[in-house]
Amino acid sequence: MKRPIRADKEQAMDAAGWDERYRGSALVWAAAPNRFAEGELAGLPAGRAVDLAAGEGRNAVWLAERGWDVDAVDFSAVALAKAETLAAERGVQLRTQCTDLTAWAAPEAAYDLALIAYLQLPWPQVSQVLRLAATAVRSGGTLLLVGHDTSNREHGFGGPQDPRVLYTAEQVAAEWRPYARILRAETVTRPVDGPEGPRTAIDSLARAERL
């Protein structure tokens, strides 16, 4: 059942805030795919994929370049317009959908891959998106999440500092276990440039195979 799109002020401000952040000619994030998405997904045969919280499309475009049929979903219309531009520059196509992810009408068992990279919502909403993603992937398909780990706030560098939008790989795995076999659920690190030189960010990584 399709959930109604939230119209409360907090959600509208969230979308407007991200639109403002993405507005401009330069990409907010690098055009290259996330290192963990690339590492985990490079060996998969191409199929149909959905990139949830796709942003400016760096991961979605990378998948499309490798033959995937990709849906890119985000609640920032500005970000998705930039994703379409990036795809055109790379000679590939995306289907974009601008919607609140908690209101996404997930097609049942339609995808071979659901990717969620750095979704920044409070945990109750993240858990809802995780369940929607699981129902959208067919048996044998892949679920992959990469996000800012809870421990990054005190022990890592960068990323959001609001604890409400941080979570662990085990929290993600617990949501997916009723639907999938957990292949990885752990913290991973990546180098980032800080004002005083190289630093380390701590992320959560969860990968699962749909039952």
Side-chain angles (χ1 to χ4, degrees), residues 33 55 62 80 108 117 182 197 204:
W62 175 79
L80 291 177
E108 186 173 353
I182 305 302
S204 296

Side-chain angles (χ1 to χ4, degrees), residues 10-11 17 20-21 29 49 53 61 70 95 145 175 197 210:
E10 181 180 357
Q11 183 67 17
E20 186 60 31
R21 184 171 185 182
W29 317 117
V61 168
V70 186
R95 282 184 302 272
L145 176 138
E175 293 294 336
R210 186 72 163 89

